[in-house]
Amino acid sequence: MSDETVTIIDDTTGKKVQLPLLSPTRGPKTIDISALYKELGYFTFDPGFVSTASCASSITFLDGEKGVLQYRGYPIEQLAAQSSYLEVCFLLINDKLPSRQELDDFEYEITNHTMLHEALKRFFSGFRRDAHPMAIMVGVVGALGAFYHDHMDIHNPEHRMITAHRLIAKMPTIAAWSYRYAMGKPFIYPVNSMSYTENFLNMMYSMPSEKYTPNPLLAKALDLILILHADHEQNASTSTVRLAGSSDANPFAAVAAGIAALWGPAHGGANEAVIRMLMEINESGKSLQSFVDRAKDKDDSFRLMGFGHRVYKNYDPRAKLIRVICHQLLNDMESTGEQKKLLETAMALEKVALEDGYFVKRNLYPNVDFYSGIIFLAMGIPMNMFTVIFAMARTVGWITQWAEMLSDDNHKIGRPRQLYTGPIDLEYVPIEKR
Ligand code: SDX
């Protein structure tokens, strides 16, 4: 820990306070303001946490200016090119790349936790058939907390590890069954001889009445997409999991809260919103420029979904990688005319936006959600399942960040303060006198 400090002078009272300046491995130095209220009697004000670090973490590093993303120090480009989703899960959870034996053991462990308790099947039938699968996923994942009392000492590292394995293993089953329930199709059980993504595709698309072999191209593309979505520092849903978990709530409830946060179109729900936007553009018969102009109009709530990012003020490195997969998949597969039309519109929109002063000035680049929706469509995945797959991928990030928080014996319950702007010291008026 460095002994650098920052001095804050209260111009009103002349009072000075020296605060520690913390040095990261990489990235901006961070002022430790925990003593500020005690020393100066002031809170800090930072809605949306634009300049606020909520924790110290060694899991994922982002450099928004340079478009850098690293999991446990490994660049996303190298993991995307050489790793697998389950190997990335091992890396994130164990903070090291596995040996061959360790990876085999981990894959065996995950494979053998993919089943759900039979009683959980009844949870699905409590939903309407047209329920959004994200609503089902929030409910079913939260309900898992009712099934694992045996391993729920969250202060026991072994219990935290088995919980991580269970969640990583069961999310594809819950995701696929959410889809099957909405389609009125029978649930397909996991098949242990299949890989993680082949198993998911099998549970999504196979039918008891005929043989189904998952398309290896799709399984590989999906595995890559899961790698790219696995973790992303202290984004809204991860911060939600940390905050919910900071009260020592059970991890299934904390992850269910994260799924709920991810659902929003400003966050993980953007991939579904991008496709709806591209379809609206294609069906409108209006020019691309008219939509770009609407996105720039402060009086119009329309935004270019899939553009902009709180951290990346450069191209989202994941969007660069997903863009390549997108083109490859649409070339390799006999994609429908509509999918090609959506991709053409996306490419044209990207070109117009990247040359427009409004977007350039605000560093608004395509983010991870801009292309992922087109790939999911090419895979035959329905739009309301896009964010479900994002949640499936991000589960390892959520549970790793949760475990990191709990492994810090000094962790506290998260309890932000506020800038109060309401009325004060009013006299109660009896109703007959109002
Ligand atoms: C994800 O945090 C993460 O890491 C998230 C994520 C992850 O992996 O977990 O990366 C996944 O959530 C990606 C983001 C997906 N969301 C979208 O694509 C929705 C569209 N994007 C925006 O809603 C927005 O860009 C956010 C929410 C992503 C970021 O918003 P910020 O950081 O709060 O930025 P802002 O709203 O303050 O915008 C700054 C300016 C504003 O204009 P001015 O007030 O300066 O004039 O840029 C404008 C905004 O109006 N702006 C946009 C825009 N995004 C920002 N204008 C038009 N279209 C957009 N998409």
Side-chain angles (χ1 to χ4, degrees):
M1 197 73 84
S2 84
D3 52 9
E4 289 180 285
T5 57
V6 163
T7 302
I8 293 186
I9 299 169
D10 180 349
D11 294 332
T12 321
T13 62
K15 196 169 178 192
K16 276 187 187 178
V17 60
Q18 265 199 332
L19 299 170
L21 189 58
L22 310 178
S23 293
T25 316
R26 177 120 26 115
K29 290 184 178 178
T30 305
I31 303 171
D32 178 348
I33 59 167
S34 42
L36 186 72
Y37 181 55
K38 186 160 61 52
E39 297 291 332
L40 279 188
Y42 297 148
F43 292 149
T44 56
F45 186 64
D46 184 17
F49 313 115
V50 177
S51 307
T52 297
S54 60
C55 63
S57 177
S58 62
I59 298 168
T60 293
F61 173 72
L62 304 187
D63 180 326
E65 308 307 323
K66 300 195 181 82
V68 170
L69 168 58
Q70 299 188 354
Y71 294 157
R72 296 292 192 185
Y74 292 93
I76 192 67
E77 294 79 6
Q78 293 182 30
L79 295 172
Q82 304 173 65
S83 190
S84 68
Y85 177 66
L86 284 188
E87 184 176 66
V88 164
C89 288
F90 184 99
L91 168 66
L92 286 167
I93 298 172
N94 297 289
D95 191 8
K96 72 181 186 85
L97 285 173
S99 65
R100 177 74 262 167
Q101 187 57 50
E102 284 171 329
L103 183 56
D104 291 347
D105 295 346
F106 183 72
E107 287 176 345
Y108 178 83
E109 175 77 1
I110 297 300
T111 301
N112 287 277
H113 278 93
T114 49
M115 292 285 281
L116 296 182
H117 190 294
E118 275 298 296
L120 263 171
K121 282 171 72 172
R122 288 198 294 274
F123 273 81
F124 291 84
S125 52
F127 289 93
R128 286 170 34 145
R129 284 288 178 193
D130 60 356
H132 195 293
M134 283 297 278
I136 299 176
M137 187 172 249
V138 170
V140 174
V141 171
L144 286 175
F147 289 78
Y148 295 108
H149 295 293
D150 58 330
H151 281 89
M152 289 299 274
D153 173 5
I154 58 173
H155 301 291
N156 178 333
E158 282 171 25
H159 288 195
R160 293 201 293 265
M161 188 58 82
I162 179 67
T163 298
H165 292 171
R166 280 179 166 144
L167 273 165
I168 293 165
K170 296 181 193 306
M171 285 300 265
T173 312
I174 295 169
W177 286 12
S178 307
Y179 168 68
R180 299 291 286 201
Y181 176 75
M183 301 302 286
K185 292 180 178 175
F187 291 153
I188 300 295
Y189 285 91
V191 172
N192 288 356
S193 59
M194 291 187 173
S195 73
Y196 193 81
T197 49
E198 287 169 343
N199 200 16
F200 173 68
L201 291 173
N202 187 58
M203 290 189 283
M204 281 282 287
Y205 297 122
S206 73
M207 289 298 278
S209 48
E210 52 197 52
K211 189 160 169 28
Y212 171 83
T213 309
N215 179 328
L217 259 183
L218 294 190
K220 176 79 188 112
L222 184 56
D223 193 84
L224 186 43
I225 288 175
L226 297 183
I227 290 174
L228 298 178
H229 286 79
D231 192 47
H232 212 239
E233 199 211 61
Q234 305 311 317
N235 58 84
S237 52
T238 298
S239 300
T240 301
V241 172
R242 278 181 172 259
L243 194 56
S246 72
S247 69
D248 284 2
N250 88 62
F252 300 102
V255 168
I259 296 169
L262 185 75
W263 194 359
H267 188 13
N271 49 26
E272 179 179 343
V274 165
I275 297 300
R276 295 190 190 286
M277 173 187 75
L278 294 174
M279 285 176 166
E280 183 191 346
I281 293 171
N282 285 352
E283 286 151 19
S284 71
K286 293 186 185 134
S287 71
L288 274 181
Q289 191 58 50
S290 66
F291 284 90
V292 171
D293 294 341
R294 280 186 59 196
K296 293 160 29 176
D297 178 356
K298 291 298 164 214
D299 298 328
D300 190 325
S301 61
F302 178 81
R303 283 198 156 184
L304 283 193
M305 300 316 278
F307 275 81
H309 198 278
R310 171 62 60 76
V311 175
Y312 290 125
K313 300 311 171 192
N314 196 324
Y315 226 102
D316 182 334
R318 302 166 298 177
K320 273 186 190 165
L321 292 163
I322 278 193
R323 193 171 186 270
V324 172
I325 309 167
C326 200
H327 284 277
Q328 219 161 19
L329 205 63
L330 291 194
N331 286 336
D332 297 348
M333 289 178 60
E334 59 287 349
S335 50
T336 64
E338 192 203 18
Q339 287 156 2
K340 280 205 183 303
K341 187 87 186 66
L342 288 173
L343 181 61
E344 283 160 10
T345 305
M347 301 294 291
L349 188 59
E350 181 189 36
K351 188 171 180 322
V352 169
L354 292 182
E355 289 164 3
D356 184 296
Y358 172 94
F359 290 84
V360 173
K361 187 173 140 227
R362 291 168 178 79
N363 299 308
L364 301 176
Y365 292 89
N367 57 48
V368 68
D369 294 301
F370 188 63
Y371 285 98
S372 52
I374 299 167
I375 294 179
F376 290 146
L377 266 190
M379 290 178 173
I381 291 168
M383 268 192 280
N384 65 6
M385 283 293 292
F386 292 1
T387 312
V388 169
I389 293 177
F390 192 155
M392 199 167 94
R394 186 55 56 87
T395 293
V396 63
W398 288 329
I399 202 68
T400 302
Q401 300 268 353
W402 167 82
E404 179 181 67
M405 174 182 68
L406 284 170
S407 62
D408 170 4
D409 294 335
N410 302 319
H411 87 272
K412 292 185 171 67
I413 187 168
R415 206 283 184 211
R417 300 306 304 271
Q418 64 177 11
L419 174 72
Y420 179 66
T421 57
I424 205 78
D425 299 338
L426 299 180
E427 282 300 314
Y428 180 81
V429 177
I431 193 159
E432 56 278 5
K433 292 187 178 158
R434 287 179 209 159

